Amino acid sequence: MRPAHFIASVVTAAAAVIALANPASAAATNYVALGDSYASGLGTGSYDGGTGACKRGPLAYPALYAQATAPASFRSVACSGAKTGDVVTQANNTLAASTNLVTVQVGGNDAGFTDVITTCTFGSDQDCVNRVNQAKTYAANTLPGLLNNVYGTIKAKSPSARVVVLGYPRIYKVPGSCNVGLSDTKRAAINSGSDALHATISARAGAAGFTYVDVRGAFTGHEICSGSWWLNSLSWPVEESYHPNRAGHASGYLPALRAAIG
């Protein structure tokens, strides 16, 4: 082989090795975060200016993931109080064919999360159990169709995206270290509502072909009334109550999300 041909062969082989080491899947990431207050960062106490009632902040897990991985583009439109219909609007207004990573968290507000917490705080044990059971029935019978609409919209807008659906933690450790506040009956009922959301959201995410992240294990030992709380109990401002705090996002949600994406 003549020297010129030999050099050309070496260059070609080297290029092939580089191509194998840097596959097309390593293309620039365009990341959009959709969802409710758990995704926006309500509870961390730090919010971006101009987000108003949405309470989006730099200490929420989507922002932390973007800080850690430096995607080519990142936008969070998660908003406190969002229900499935709101997230459909978020998706329609934000996603594009070029979006190749989407995280989404929604369903708790549809099932009446705020009303459940209010009833359990001010009502009797039976009032709490009854209200949680209503939420669980809604999660089993009505929420699946609403989630199908959300996930279908995401697929239609960004058909090539990796979509990661995040669930909700159990709120309380039962029995726990708290001597005041809600009874163990109420705490266990609220946790059963989290489990009902998990069952529905994980099933619909799986049916859509999306990756589901179950954070209940990550938060075990870090619930309210545990030795190390990753969630706010009754707080001021009141809207931050029963949401992940800064540790919940940084030590709970963020590692779970990174493990899921790989």
Side-chain angles (χ1 to χ4, degrees):
M1 180 180 296
R2 288 179 292 178
H5 289 172
F6 174 76
I7 292 171
S9 298
V10 170
V11 170
T12 301
V17 170
I18 291 170
L20 288 172
N22 298 278
S25 60
T29 298
N30 297 303
Y31 170 30
V32 173
L34 312 173
D36 58 20
S37 56
Y38 269 60
S40 74
L42 178 63
T44 64
S46 179
Y47 310 110
D48 297 327
T51 63
C54 283
K55 300 293 185 181
R56 283 191 296 274
L59 302 179
Y61 69 81
L64 293 176
Y65 180 81
Q67 292 165 21
T69 61
S73 66
F74 166 63
R75 186 179 179 190
S76 173
V77 290
C79 188
S80 178
K83 296 183 178 182
T84 50
D86 301 306
V87 175
V88 167
T89 300
Q90 292 174 11
N92 278 323
N93 291 343
T94 312
L95 299 183
S98 60
T99 305
N100 54 11
L101 176 63
V102 178
T103 58
V104 57
Q105 182 171 16
V106 71
N109 290 324
D110 293 82
F113 173 78
T114 299
D115 191 53
V116 165
I117 293 298
T118 301
T119 300
C120 290
T121 299
F122 297 107
S124 67
D125 282 3
Q126 194 58 54
D127 290 337
C128 177
V129 170
N130 290 344
R131 183 62 186 89
V132 170
N133 284 340
Q134 291 176 11
K136 288 160 69 173
T137 298
Y138 185 96
N141 298 330
T142 304
L143 187 57
L146 299 174
L147 291 174
N148 288 345
N149 189 31
V150 172
Y151 301 158
T153 301
I154 293 171
K155 277 187 173 181
K157 295 291 291 186
S158 301
S160 300
R162 171 80 180 274
V163 182
V164 181
V165 179
L166 295 103
Y168 299 90
R170 296 187 182 102
I171 302 294
Y172 284 100
K173 181 174 177 60
V174 184
S177 60
C178 300
N179 295 320
V180 295
L182 303 187
S183 67
D184 280 352
T185 296
K186 291 180 176 181
R187 293 168 183 162
I190 291 170
N191 283 352
S192 74
S194 296
D195 290 339
L197 284 173
H198 157 76
T200 295
I201 296 171
S202 62
R204 301 328 305 154
F210 296 164
T211 300
Y212 174 73
V213 180
D214 180 4
V215 297
R216 295 175 304 164
F219 277 77
T220 297
H222 299 285
E223 312 93 331
I224 297 172
C225 299
S226 69
S228 174
W229 299 14
W230 286 357
L231 296 133
N232 298 322
S233 184
L234 188 61
S235 306
W236 185 259
V238 173
E239 63 185 0
E240 297 200 358
S241 304
Y242 306 105
H243 284 77
N245 56 28
R246 296 182 181 192
H249 283 271
S251 300
Y253 271 101
L254 177 60
L257 176 58
R258 295 195 71 170
I261 295 175

